Amino acid sequence: MADEEPTSIWMQPERHERSGPGRRPGYSREQITQTAVRLADAEGMEAATMRRIAQELGTGAMSLYRYLPRRDDLFDLMIDMAMSEVELSDGPSGDWRSDLTLLARQIRATSLRHPWLVGLLTSRPTLGPNLLRVHEYALGAFDGFGLDIDDITGYVGMLDDYVHSATRRELGWLEEARRTGLDPERWKQDYMGPYVRQIVESGTFPLFNRSVLDSRTAHLAPVERFRHGLDRILDAIAALITSSRGHAVGQAEEP
């Protein structure tokens, strides 16, 4: 008999076990996922193995597969648990730019708390309830403006791509700082500084020189750099909306 095709964890009923005399208490998906998130936050995704999680819970690794048939199921649950931390209002306000700014900053903050999150989000399709809640909010920010759904999904995709890329780069700097023991500013000054000065003095790359010497954004703090880039993405979306509709869009139209 052929193996059954795997089904989404969101379609699999939660297993509940009652503990009895002489039996160890059962576990839950939430307990297992919380343990995995804690390990991944502290030591990286490579630490969040079923064996290590089982050790933390005081059980055998095989027992966890009664709750999560595949490790991929664990990844989906970890993503959704992290996304539950994204705090949003009950619905969009009607000011799409304000709504998406709030959303982008929330996702960045959540991703910095969970450095493994962006890697999972951008490497696997998943549709847990909390991720859907966030995505629906992003789509809903454009609702009421008479925009085509293809345009709406495209604009949300632009925002996602920027937030994930910018946050991944910021996390890379933080990881390098942990590895070398230098904070990003010290790393740039002490390690890269002499070489950059040599490049500048050579005059070989004049536009690079301008980006180092004259650029204001090159010297912004990470959060300010993120906000600057976010504003440019939102400016681009606003221009695309204006081009497609022939006039600027700010607030949702009256019904």
Side-chain angles (χ1 to χ4, degrees):
M1 181 177 174
D3 291 339
E4 293 184 4
E5 289 292 326
T7 58
S8 168
I9 188 63
W10 311 113
M11 297 177 67
Q12 300 172 33
E14 171 109 39
R15 180 187 179 97
H16 296 282
E17 294 183 347
R18 293 185 177 181
S19 58
R23 293 183 58 190
R24 289 182 176 180
Y27 299 100
S28 68
R29 287 178 184 171
E30 183 176 13
Q31 287 175 293
I32 296 168
T33 307
Q34 286 174 340
T35 303
V37 167
R38 176 170 53 80
L39 288 170
D41 287 350
E43 304 177 36
M45 275 301 298
E46 62 275 9
T49 64
M50 298 300 262
R51 182 182 298 276
R52 180 70 185 281
I53 295 166
Q55 289 175 351
E56 294 288 318
L57 291 173
T59 188
M62 293 307 297
S63 68
L64 299 186
Y65 286 99
R66 297 202 302 271
Y67 305 90
L68 300 172
R70 304 178 305 149
R71 191 164 183 244
D72 282 356
D73 295 330
L74 177 63
F75 295 157
D76 288 345
L77 290 169
M78 291 175 68
I79 290 171
D80 214 58
M81 181 168 284
M83 294 304 289
S84 71
E85 299 175 14
V86 176
E87 298 179 359
L88 300 170
S89 58
D90 292 338
S93 68
D95 181 342
W96 69 266
R97 187 166 186 133
S98 175
D99 291 338
L100 295 183
T101 296
L102 168 66
L103 178 60
R105 292 178 180 179
Q106 284 278 326
I107 293 174
R108 171 184 174 271
T110 301
S111 298
L112 292 180
R113 289 194 297 271
H114 305 292
W116 47 269
L117 177 59
V118 172
L120 285 186
L121 276 173
T122 56
S123 65
R124 58 183 295 104
T126 184
L127 292 174
N130 283 302
L131 186 62
L132 281 170
R133 173 181 63 89
V134 171
H135 191 59
E136 186 75 5
Y137 182 93
L139 295 172
F142 294 108
D143 193 27
F145 298 120
L147 300 173
D148 185 272
I149 190 61
D150 288 329
D151 288 337
I152 291 175
T153 55
Y155 301 151
V156 172
M158 288 173 60
L159 181 71
D160 283 346
D161 288 346
Y162 170 72
V163 173
H164 294 157
S165 176
T167 306
R168 187 190 290 271
R169 182 167 56 249
E170 187 174 350
L171 287 167
W173 279 101
L174 292 172
E175 177 58 32
E176 185 67 11
R178 282 191 289 268
R179 188 184 69 81
T180 62
L182 296 174
D183 65 54
E185 288 305 314
R186 285 283 308 281
W187 188 87
K188 287 190 289 186
Q189 293 175 11
D190 298 349
Y191 181 73
M192 291 298 295
Y195 179 52
V196 171
R197 284 192 292 273
Q198 180 178 311
I199 296 172
V200 170
E201 290 168 1
S202 74
T204 306
F205 303 100
L207 291 178
F208 173 80
N209 287 6
R210 287 179 59 193
S211 73
V212 171
L213 300 175
D214 301 332
S215 171
R216 180 181 65 85
T217 58
H219 305 287
L220 293 175
V223 65
E224 294 171 341
R225 189 179 303 119
F226 177 83
R227 291 173 180 172
H228 177 84
L230 176 61
D231 283 342
R232 303 291 80 73
I233 291 296
L234 298 178
D235 287 344
I237 292 174
L240 288 169
I241 293 174
T242 299
S243 175
S244 66
R245 296 197 58 193
H247 60 85
V249 173
Q251 300 290 328
E253 296 173 344
E254 292 295 331

